[in-house]
Amino acid sequence: NIARIFYENGQFELAETNYLKALDIYRNTIGRESPDYAMCIDNLANMYATKKDFVKAEQLYLEALKIRQSIFGQNHIEYGMSLNNLGTYYSVRNDTIKAETYLLKAQNLWAHLFGKEHPDYLLALNNLIIQYWLTGNSAQLSSKLMESIQIEKNLVFRASKHLSEIE
């Protein structure tokens, strides 16, 4: 929507105005308990985090998580996205305990839903790698990095094998 265009162009006041209008429309038409409302909240939270308005960002990320949990339960990709968003948010904020907790929950959920060679699993794994690098947790960093490399090698091998079969 237009708010995202303003956000991506650094026009945060216009983005905020349009995100708030969109939230108002969602609230008055489909209600707060909808995936679209939760996505709009996440987008607004991303903008606030970019602007370093961390209090508003955190509140919105937590609200989106609560809505998605209410709609989908704790065993759904959308819930996993909220876990990942909170994990990366807390990583940026240097709240290492919360960051690791949410990122591990996202990683475990996506492993359960898709297996360990799915892009969403790799996203959570790579976010954990960044978290462990930032905190200097070399044991976990090494372990997760090796896992990521092995998965990516397997994916490249399978892709090249598939391409050779096509030729």
Side-chain angles (χ1 to χ4, degrees):
N1 69 37
I2 191 77
R4 184 153 183 96
I5 293 169
F6 287 130
Y7 166 66
E8 290 175 357
N9 287 302
Q11 297 175 296
F12 298 128
E13 287 181 28
L14 290 170
E16 180 178 21
T17 299
N18 283 280
Y19 279 133
L20 292 172
K21 283 180 186 176
L23 283 174
D24 193 46
I25 291 168
Y26 286 135
R27 192 173 24 256
N28 292 323
T29 57
I30 58 179
R32 292 175 184 260
E33 293 288 314
S34 78
D36 291 331
Y37 186 81
M39 183 187 317
C40 192
I41 287 174
D42 256 344
N43 291 338
L44 184 57
N46 289 338
M47 190 210 60
Y48 283 138
T50 301
K51 286 177 49 177
K52 300 190 182 338
D53 189 343
F54 297 118
V55 172
K56 287 181 182 176
E58 182 178 24
Q59 290 170 346
L60 291 172
Y61 283 130
L62 289 168
E63 184 179 351
L65 178 71
K66 184 178 176 184
I67 291 169
R68 287 180 171 135
Q69 181 178 2
S70 174
I71 296 170
F72 301 114
Q74 294 183 3
N75 199 26
H76 192 275
I77 185 173
E78 293 288 327
Y79 182 73
M81 288 304 290
S82 276
L83 293 171
N84 187 68
N85 290 346
L86 271 163
T88 54
Y89 165 77
Y90 286 125
S91 184
V92 168
R93 298 290 298 135
N94 263 344
D95 190 334
T96 58
I97 306 265
K98 286 182 181 177
E100 183 177 15
T101 299
Y102 283 106
L103 291 172
L104 282 170
K105 285 181 181 181
Q107 180 193 31
N108 290 333
L109 176 59
W110 288 336
H112 169 73
L113 292 175
F114 307 119
K116 290 188 173 185
E117 293 192 355
H118 188 274
D120 286 339
Y121 178 82
L122 277 171
L123 172 68
L125 180 61
N126 288 329
N127 286 338
L128 273 166
I129 288 168
I130 292 167
Q131 174 62 26
Y132 293 138
W133 177 73
L134 290 171
T135 59
N137 186 338
S138 57
Q140 287 291 343
L141 173 63
S142 177
S143 169
K144 297 294 183 184
L145 195 53
M146 294 307 295
E147 180 183 358
S148 178
I149 290 168
Q150 188 57 51
I151 291 169
E152 292 181 31
K153 277 184 184 178
N154 292 344
L155 292 173
V156 168
F157 174 75
R158 268 193 264 137
S160 64
K161 184 177 176 185
H162 176 71
L163 289 174
S164 69
E165 291 171 356
I166 293 174
E167 294 174 348

